[in-house]
Amino acid sequence: MNNELAKVAAAIVAPGKGILAADESTGTIKKRFDTIDTVSTTDSRRDYREMLFRTSDAMEKHISGVILFDETLRQKAADGTPLAKVISDTGAFPGIKVDAGAKPLAGRAGETVTEGLDGLRERVAEYVELGAKFAKWRAVINIGSDGRPSHTSIHSNAHALARYAAICQEGGLVPIVEPEVLMDGDHDIDKCYAVTEWALKELYQELFYAKVELEGTILKPNMVISGTEAQTRAGVEEVAEKTVRVLKNCVPAAVPGICFLSGGQSDLEATAHLSAMNAGYDMPWGLSFSYGRALQHAALNAWGGEASNVDAAQAAFRKRAHMNSLAALGKWSEASENE
Ligand code: 13P
């Protein structure tokens, strides 16, 4: 067992800590900036992200790792300090998104397979030099009434995740394995349960075949939740119960931590669901957050692309980081939002 990887993975899910996912690709961050009428340039992306990484209290107290896009890992703060150092000076680990995105799966309309294995060994070596301690690869699973997901989609994505994870461990990075079952669709929560179970069973089988050491990994799953267009939406307790049940059925206890993606849930839903799981259930792994939108949404809106709004934006980020930290401890309630 590689003790260094196990130590990093365990530290990522230290009690009350979680991950800031700030690894939006250039295309995705442009979409986020479009919503606040801000032009996405190398400098505006740097300014926005530097603002988050320099949010005092939020980073030191609540954030154990930050996932970066390639550009950001190479960028310097306005004062010339590498952004990776700004992050590590707060005590958090810099991480890196290494996949090349979800690409159309040949022969399977509406489905994708995540690419990026070519040259990955060399890129991992470079990212380690640049200070990264962990990596992320996101697979996307679609639910549809037309037979999605197919076995091909579940299997190809799990296989790619396992090959990625093995290469990361060989090169010295903790792999975050992310099989995201999307919320899009009118399916009910039980359909989400069934597809999540299938994706996780296949993933852990492939990780076994690839000889990935689970102690040096983190799982980043979706929660088990109703589709966004579902006629009735499951409440917080049902989401918590079904999510914990599927994880207990699929994720070995050797995995040190599970950090959820927010996946389009509202900020409050993402916090409430995580807190209900931690408050209500005993689990063999640490259970925390690796949120992108649910941590950044309020801060992005408060910022609005204006340097004069930095304090307000940092206050908004500090608050979501604090609320999700409480949720990771199972200690959040609606009243916490107003304290
Ligand atoms: P969201 O929390 O916005 O889903 O993003 C997390 C992430 O890193 C997706 O890969």
Side-chain angles (χ1 to χ4, degrees), residues 25-45:
S25 62
T26 310
T28 301
I29 196 75
K30 180 182 180 311
K31 279 192 225 152
R32 305 272 189 268
F33 279 18
D34 284 349
T35 67
I36 54 164
D37 289 329
T38 296
V39 182
S40 177
T41 63
T42 35
D43 281 352
S44 65
R45 294 192 288 272

Side-chain angles (χ1 to χ4, degrees), residues 21 23 32 67 136 138 178 180 220 260-264 290-294:
D23 60 321
R32 305 272 189 268
I67 317 175
K136 176 191 116 170
R138 171 174 176 257
E178 179 178 5
E180 175 174 4
K220 176 163 174 165
F260 291 105
L261 57 96
S262 60
S290 175
Y291 293 161
R293 282 162 286 181

Side-chain angles (χ1 to χ4, degrees), residues 32 180-184 192 221-228 233-236 239-240 243 259-277 288-298 320 324:
R32 305 272 189 268
E180 175 174 4
V181 178
L182 292 183
M183 283 170 72
D184 303 354
C192 179
N222 53 284
M223 296 182 193
V224 173
I225 201 163
S226 316
T228 39
R233 300 192 57 74
V236 173
V239 169
T243 304
C259 295
F260 291 105
L261 57 96
S262 60
Q265 300 179 53
S266 73
D267 297 358
L268 285 192
E269 277 173 341
T271 306
H273 289 150
L274 177 62
S275 196
M277 287 182 233
S288 189
F289 57 87
S290 175
Y291 293 161
R293 282 162 286 181
L295 271 174
Q296 294 185 50
H297 183 243
R320 289 317 327 144
N324 285 304

Side-chain angles (χ1 to χ4, degrees), residues 70 73-74 96 98 116-135 164 166-174:
D70 180 278
L73 185 61
R74 301 173 191 280
I96 179 76
V98 300
L117 291 170
D118 288 355
L120 181 58
R121 181 173 277 113
E122 293 72 26
R123 284 191 292 130
V124 164
E126 189 189 3
Y127 290 143
V128 167
E129 284 297 309
L130 289 167
K133 298 288 180 200
F134 69 97
Y164 139 81
I167 291 170
C168 284
Q169 289 196 330
E170 180 191 274
L173 294 179
V174 169

